[in-house]
Amino acid sequence: MKIAGIQKLTLVDFPGHVAATLFTQGCSFRCGFCHNPELVLPEKFEGLLLEGEVFEFLEARYGKLTGICLTGGEPLLQPDAGKFISHMKALGFDVKLDTNGSFPDRLEQIIKDGDVDYIAMDIKNSLNKYVQTISSQKSKVKSQKNCHSGLDPESRLLIKSIQRSIQLIISSGIDYEFRTTVCHPYHEVADFEDIGKLIQGAKRYFIQNYQDSKRINESIEYSAFTDKELNEANKIMKKYVKESEVR
């Protein structure tokens, strides 16, 4: 596993746990507003931790930590993510996985292995805006009536992967959440009708407002939602999911 860093203590990343967070290097998306460019852009990559160092740290924290968050980047970009999760579980920790849903085959196997205790999946946008939202080159995002309209085969496969990952998580029997980080020009309140339909029946959903910090594409002017917009979006989502909150 390509582990780029460790947050040694978090009380918020893994609900109900005193946890550490492991950050993996590399991502399958290029969201312009991403605040972790050093984990996403190869030209910004820094040195990696040895797996032995990571497990030595975890073993030393056993009894003090109850959970481990595996985040990124995109953890499932790594072909050995499942094995790594199983190793953490064998050490006695509960494991939370953060994913963007672009690797449903690996996600399905991890669910079958039974070593992950909580899954958090980012819902980047409505399907009609998905491909544009995850590309750092797109400064203006326009909705298409048909999410498959004009898409190349790779983009069509991505949309199917996102849909499949959502259904895998909902039907997994594992505790989970979906979440969307919102900002202009990528998101509008109206998008949440389609986002709601995409994850209809889900257990838990969070709206996270954009925070101005590091980002992949500095040339785009981003802005956060207003409180009114956040509340309107959350009201829409409450029609579709069991629990929706602004976080």
Side-chain angles (χ1 to χ4, degrees):
M1 285 288 289
K2 296 180 178 180
I3 305 297
I6 300 177
Q7 182 180 353
K8 295 183 178 181
L9 179 65
T10 175
L11 301 178
V12 297
D13 288 345
F14 193 165
H17 288 73
V18 178
T21 300
L22 306 181
F23 296 89
T24 62
Q25 187 182 82
C27 189
S28 49
F29 290 173
R30 293 293 184 273
C31 308
F33 51 91
C34 177
H35 66 280
N36 284 325
E38 68 279 2
L39 298 175
V40 175
L41 302 175
E43 64 270 21
K44 293 184 179 291
F45 285 175
E46 298 179 358
L48 296 172
L49 300 174
L50 297 175
E51 280 195 20
E53 293 178 303
V54 174
F55 289 123
E56 183 178 340
F57 163 77
L58 296 179
E59 288 168 2
R61 300 295 289 174
Y62 182 73
K64 299 177 182 178
L65 301 175
T66 61
I68 307 297
C69 306
L70 188 63
T71 189
E74 170 50 45
L76 299 190
L77 183 65
Q78 313 300 327
D80 54 345
K83 181 180 178 180
F84 190 83
I85 287 172
S86 295
H87 194 154
M88 289 191 292
K89 188 67 174 178
L91 291 176
F93 297 103
D94 287 348
V95 181
K96 173 178 177 266
L97 171 67
D98 290 350
T99 183
N100 62 28
S102 60
F103 295 93
D105 289 344
R106 291 175 183 171
L107 177 61
E108 182 176 30
Q109 186 59 54
I110 286 170
I111 290 171
K112 288 180 178 178
D113 289 343
D115 292 326
V116 68
D117 301 279
Y118 195 99
I119 301 173
M121 178 177 166
D122 290 309
I123 305 296
K124 297 299 183 180
N125 211 328
S126 65
L127 290 182
N128 293 330
K129 290 184 174 181
Y130 228 92
V131 174
Q132 294 167 294
T133 303
I134 65 171
S135 170
S136 64
Q137 304 304 312
K138 302 295 184 181
S139 59
K140 293 183 179 181
V141 182
K142 296 181 179 180
S143 181
Q144 299 170 313
K145 292 183 179 180
N146 185 332
C147 67
H148 297 294
S149 177
L151 295 181
D152 58 76
E154 183 177 355
S155 297
R156 289 171 184 258
L157 179 60
L158 169 66
I159 295 298
K160 290 181 179 179
S161 294
I162 296 303
Q163 293 171 309
R164 184 177 165 212
S165 290
I166 290 169
Q167 293 308 310
L168 283 169
I169 292 170
I170 290 176
S171 62
S172 68
I174 297 169
D175 203 6
Y176 68 89
E177 68 183 58
F178 297 108
R179 62 201 184 187
T180 302
T181 299
V182 295
C183 74
H184 300 296
Y186 290 93
H187 304 90
E188 302 295 336
V189 171
D191 296 326
F192 286 86
E193 289 287 353
D194 287 335
I195 292 174
K197 293 173 184 176
L198 178 61
I199 62 169
Q200 189 163 6
K203 178 179 182 180
R204 188 179 297 117
Y205 176 76
F206 294 103
I207 299 172
Q208 303 173 160
N209 208 4
Y210 168 75
Q211 301 290 324
D212 190 16
S213 62
K214 297 177 294 180
R215 49 193 183 270
I216 285 180
N217 191 333
E218 300 281 354
S219 68
I220 298 174
E221 184 176 343
Y222 306 94
S223 62
F225 268 32
T226 64
D227 288 343
K228 180 180 178 181
E229 288 174 316
L230 289 171
N231 290 333
E232 289 176 351
N234 193 40
K235 184 178 179 180
I236 291 171
M237 292 304 299
K238 285 179 179 294
K239 298 188 302 183
Y240 296 100
V241 301
K242 296 176 183 177
E243 177 186 339
S244 179
E245 296 180 13
V246 176
R247 181 163 62 188

